[in-house]
Amino acid sequence: MNSFTRATALAALLLSAAPAFSQYVPPPPARPFPGVLNEKIRTRDVYLSAWDIGVNVRVRHEAKDDAGFTDAGSNWDFSQRPQDDNNNHYELLRLLPRVGYTAKKWAFLVEGRSSYSYGDERFNATTAGQGLPERDGALDAHQAYVFVGNHKEFPVSLKLGRQELVYGDQRLVGHLRWNNGARTFDATKVRWQNAIFGVDVWTGGLVYNDHRNLNRSNSQDRFSGAYFNFPTLAKNEIVEAYLLARNVARGIATDNWSGVAAPFRFPGAQDLYTAGLRVKSKPLAYNAWDYGVEVMHQFGSRTAVFPATTVAAALAAPRLDQDAFAAVLQAGYTWTEHAWQPRLALLYSYASGDKNSADAKSGTFQNLFATTHLHYGYMDLNSLQNLHDLRLAYTAKPKANISLAAELHFQFLDRPTDFWYNVAGVPRNFAGAAVGSGGGYRINPTYSRTLGTEIDLVAGWTFTTYAQLEVGMSHYFRGDYIKQSLAAVGSKDASYCYVQLTLNL
């Protein structure tokens, strides 16, 4: 607990001097900075500015106490049972070396990734957390793509190869760079852009992190989509619409990639389609006020076991008709005349849950490939599934190179007839506990829907052009659902802190 205490004191000191702020964004350097290597190369020869050569280095210490990413697994988050080791303190190191080149009508990027985890008990765990540390070996290919096109001269472009997909606020499609492994896809993407509308159309597969072999995608897990933007449809708004499809064949359950850790080895069979509309005000369009709305409908079908925990269960699981919804509403106010630019925002995120686990229908929204860390609390206890999240966020920048934030999350289950899902979208389900026994998480229709309240404090300092220090501290006050689910074994609140250093070399 010493590291947590120190982080708490530092965060309290930083936040005592000023208002905090919402939707935390790390502070940029004092001037545009391409990286240490790029700056040296371009200073010597201006004609080498088309090259991008550098390394992003990130080191982070994390201390998780009583919940989240531990040896016991998420089934025993907040548990007081003596045999549940739900504390985990460890260090993460990630290196992203890259070489890129941009010409007038084409470009390429090759980016490697080395991910290491030190002192992480999940690496040697023999229980639910086994094999889930954020390490991926000495070197792997994070991105490797070719881009052809120039939208100033022609409306169509092509991007082919391993690449990140990032859209909107990353609630459904994001790169998950907070995680030491991050996320990429082996994909083909075509873009059309003119003055009236633009659209990205892609198809490809998620790259599975395999710490024993080179990472690769699986042809039986396909992710496709069309993402539209309409620059002239509204004067003061960003308007986007999309249709996403994830198609996973049932035969994926028979694949044996031993280095890909269960229960995330492969998802259950599914043909899920998500249609959505996102509208967000442009910066300063309404003076100090801003707002955003996003609505999503999910349809298609998926297997009853999701994700599949055994091959037999995956092959035998019946199909469920999917009919699920999600929505996000947000509004904010920025004191634009104040030197610190403080901003207060209120955000509400909703994702439907299943009202009857015994029928042939599913109402549980699946949040696909989201960067959940950005939205539902820094402790990463939730995904956008069977959830109500009411978020109050307050931010400020006392200096151009310092950012501060304080956030408050009130969280509830949408339906007590569905599970509480962890950050990976996996249900907390201790099957050995009887309904209503208070001996573990599962579907308990008679329990409260109140999960709890999370408080997050974050501070970032870009102390030189190429280096940034970030500190965060969180505490989760458990609600009645957690207390009732663990009544037989006892429960306690959870805490989290981290200290992170990022270098742009």
Side-chain angles (χ1 to χ4, degrees), residues 76 78-84 437-440 485-491:
W76 294 109
F78 303 96
S79 172
Q80 279 190 324
R81 289 197 322 172
Q83 65 267 41
D84 293 333
S437 68
S485 296
L486 300 177
V489 299
S491 62

Side-chain angles (χ1 to χ4, degrees), residues 85-284:
D85 181 5
N86 51 20
N87 297 329
N88 197 5
H89 299 192
Y90 51 89
E91 287 72 42
L92 300 172
L93 170 64
R94 187 180 70 193
L95 295 87
L96 295 171
R98 69 186 185 278
V99 176
Y101 183 84
T102 302
K104 184 178 181 180
K105 295 185 178 180
W106 64 276
F108 78 84
L109 175 69
V110 176
E111 184 176 38
R113 188 180 73 225
S114 298
S115 302
Y116 302 92
S117 176
Y118 304 97
D120 190 341
E121 65 183 28
R122 293 172 293 171
F123 186 68
N124 298 313
T126 58
T127 55
Q130 184 176 11
L132 300 178
E134 298 174 45
R135 58 189 301 167
D136 193 27
L139 185 64
D140 217 303
H142 182 65
Q143 296 192 89
Y145 65 80
V146 175
F147 175 86
V148 180
N150 183 337
H151 284 285
K152 293 181 179 179
E153 298 184 356
F154 191 70
V156 181
S157 65
L158 170 69
K159 191 174 184 180
L160 178 65
R162 183 161 297 183
Q163 56 191 281
E164 296 179 340
L165 296 176
V166 180
Y167 290 97
D169 293 324
Q170 302 189 51
R171 291 184 183 272
L172 293 177
V173 186
H175 50 45
L176 193 62
R177 284 213 170 203
W178 172 259
N179 187 278
N180 221 33
R183 180 190 291 129
T184 54
F185 297 84
D186 289 335
T188 299
K189 181 168 68 175
V190 176
R191 177 165 183 80
W192 167 280
Q193 181 69 65
N194 60 21
I196 300 174
F197 80 99
V199 59
D200 283 3
V201 179
W202 73 87
T203 186
L206 172 70
V207 176
Y208 286 88
N209 291 345
D210 183 348
H211 68 273
R212 298 177 184 174
N213 303 286
L214 288 176
N215 296 339
R216 56 195 173 103
S217 57
N218 190 298
S219 61
Q220 298 190 80
D221 184 358
R222 305 299 297 175
F223 181 54
S224 308
Y227 201 99
F228 297 83
N229 68 285
F230 303 94
T232 61
L233 191 61
K235 177 182 178 182
N236 294 325
E237 280 74 30
I238 298 169
V239 181
E240 299 172 336
Y242 50 84
L243 178 64
L244 310 175
R246 189 178 189 186
N247 304 99
V248 181
R250 192 178 289 269
I252 200 171
T254 62
D255 285 357
N256 182 24
W257 291 7
S258 58
V260 181
F264 313 114
R265 182 166 289 121
F266 293 122
Q270 57 188 287
D271 291 292
L272 284 186
Y273 304 92
T274 307
L277 175 67
R278 177 174 177 263
V279 179
K280 193 171 186 177
S281 59
K282 294 177 181 178
L284 302 178

